[in-house]
Amino acid sequence: MRYLKFRRITKVKTNPEIMLDVAYDYLHLPFKHKSSFKDFKVIEDRDNILVFYYETRILSFLPMSPIIKFISVRELIPAKQMYNQVYMDLKSKKIFYHSWRQHIINDEVIINSDFSIPLNTFQYFFRKILLILINK
């Protein structure tokens, strides 16, 4: 299995505590990101472990996008101002990874989001096009 690995870097002028609170607040997801989610349920919220079920549109910018169903486990790591998240596609059983971390440079909150997405050989051949679609 090959993986498409990429990092998104976002700079925000805000208070780091507010940014961390927004990142840890999963309740905003189905409302703020409603074009991405078809369904969203919290299965478990205990200590620093969150378990979600959700259905997401592959190409959220298309009204008739295919949908993937996931179970996801998110580990919050407040001491490092970050979280790690693992997703399992319920149909293919493929595992996806996401790590989110913030740090402060010159009054800006810098957010690094690292992703690792499994691809088959055919998809890997078109990875640059896939990356463009993912970032859209």
Side-chain angles (χ1 to χ4, degrees):
M1 180 72 51
R2 295 177 180 216
Y3 286 84
L4 176 61
K5 296 180 181 183
F6 62 97
R7 172 176 279 178
R8 285 187 181 152
I9 299 173
T10 307
K11 297 178 182 180
V12 181
K13 288 192 181 233
T14 188
N15 180 305
E17 288 82 23
I18 292 172
M19 190 68 232
L20 190 63
D21 189 47
V22 169
Y24 283 8
D25 175 25
Y26 58 82
L27 295 175
H28 82 281
L29 292 173
F31 305 103
K32 179 66 177 164
H33 306 283
K34 62 185 166 200
S35 67
S36 297
F37 293 104
K38 180 152 174 50
D39 193 8
F40 180 88
K41 292 180 177 45
V42 178
I43 297 171
E44 184 74 38
D45 179 353
R46 186 181 320 155
D47 300 324
N48 287 334
I49 301 294
L50 307 168
V51 181
F52 308 120
Y53 164 82
Y54 61 89
E55 299 173 6
T56 187
R57 293 174 180 89
I58 295 173
L59 303 170
S60 62
F61 55 91
L62 294 177
M64 298 298 291
S65 172
I67 294 171
I68 300 178
K69 297 176 183 182
F70 288 104
I71 292 289
S72 176
V73 178
R74 181 182 288 187
E75 174 193 22
L76 306 178
I77 310 168
K80 294 183 177 180
Q81 297 188 19
M82 68 180 293
Y83 68 76
N84 291 319
Q85 191 160 344
V86 177
Y87 309 77
M88 184 176 72
D89 178 339
L90 294 176
K91 184 176 180 182
S92 72
K93 308 300 188 251
K94 289 182 180 178
I95 303 294
F96 299 67
Y97 301 95
H98 175 213
S99 179
W100 183 98
R101 183 175 185 143
Q102 75 174 19
H103 56 280
I104 295 94
I105 298 178
N106 299 330
D107 290 340
E108 282 187 318
V109 178
I110 311 297
I111 301 158
N112 292 335
S113 287
D114 295 310
F115 297 88
S116 181
I117 300 172
L119 301 176
N120 62 36
T121 305
F122 178 77
Q123 293 167 328
Y124 191 77
F125 183 76
F126 293 102
R127 65 190 178 276
K128 290 183 181 181
I129 295 169
L130 287 170
L131 192 55
I132 290 168
L133 290 172
I134 289 168
N135 283 317
K136 181 144 177 75

